Amino acid sequence: QVQLVESGGGLVQPGGSLRLSCAASGRTFVRYGMGWFRQAPGKEREFVATITWSGDSTYYADSVKGRFTISRDSAKNTMYLQMNSLKPEDTAVYYCAADPDWSSVIHRHFAYWGQGTQVTVSS
């Protein structure tokens, strides 16, 4: 079983920055994709960004492209989401996800999910 634990959420002012982390433990995979999703109250969960197992390919939602950066540290088995120029509409619970199927980064279907971390952007 794979466990995913998110951290780094909090309250920030519009225009501020925040860095989310997702640490994976337990069973590991030779190749797996990882990604970030978010869900605001009363709204559907939406795709934010994904990254391949090698870290050489990334995908972003149009709403965050140019502001957010997804990355991973293989040695620490940790994924990150650097969020800059935050807007109130970025307020949501952010979830990390992982899957041993490489196509997950394209199809956005993941087997393992974290518990979520709250991000609130407000003045």
Side-chain angles (χ1 to χ4, degrees):
Q1 185 176 350
V2 173
Q3 294 85 43
L4 303 174
V5 179
E6 298 125 325
S7 62
L11 174 64
V12 297
Q13 295 184 350
S17 298
L18 206 60
R19 189 194 193 199
L20 304 183
S21 299
C22 176
S25 62
R27 185 176 62 184
T28 58
F29 306 94
V30 177
R31 297 179 180 179
Y32 61 97
M34 298 187 73
W36 289 96
F37 294 77
R38 67 186 183 185
Q39 186 170 25
K43 295 185 177 181
E44 296 281 346
R45 182 181 64 190
E46 66 175 342
F47 157 75
V48 175
T50 53
I51 187 169
T52 57
W53 69 272
S54 62
D56 61 348
S57 296
T58 57
Y59 305 86
Y60 295 93
D62 290 340
S63 60
V64 306
K65 195 175 185 65
R67 300 188 298 120
F68 291 10
T69 302
I70 188 172
S71 62
R72 66 193 303 170
D73 186 332
S74 297
K76 297 181 178 180
N77 206 19
T78 301
M79 178 179 64
Y80 305 95
L81 184 67
Q82 178 65 48
M83 304 183 293
N84 298 324
S85 301
L86 284 163
K87 306 174 181 179
E89 49 263 46
D90 293 319
T91 296
V93 176
Y94 284 71
Y95 299 90
C96 66
D99 199 289
D101 188 346
W102 66 268
S103 66
S104 60
V105 302
I106 299 175
H107 300 151
R108 304 168 190 173
H109 300 313
F110 292 87
Y112 301 100
W113 294 83
Q115 81 288 351
T117 184
Q118 177 71 49
V119 172
T120 302
V121 185
S122 177
S123 60

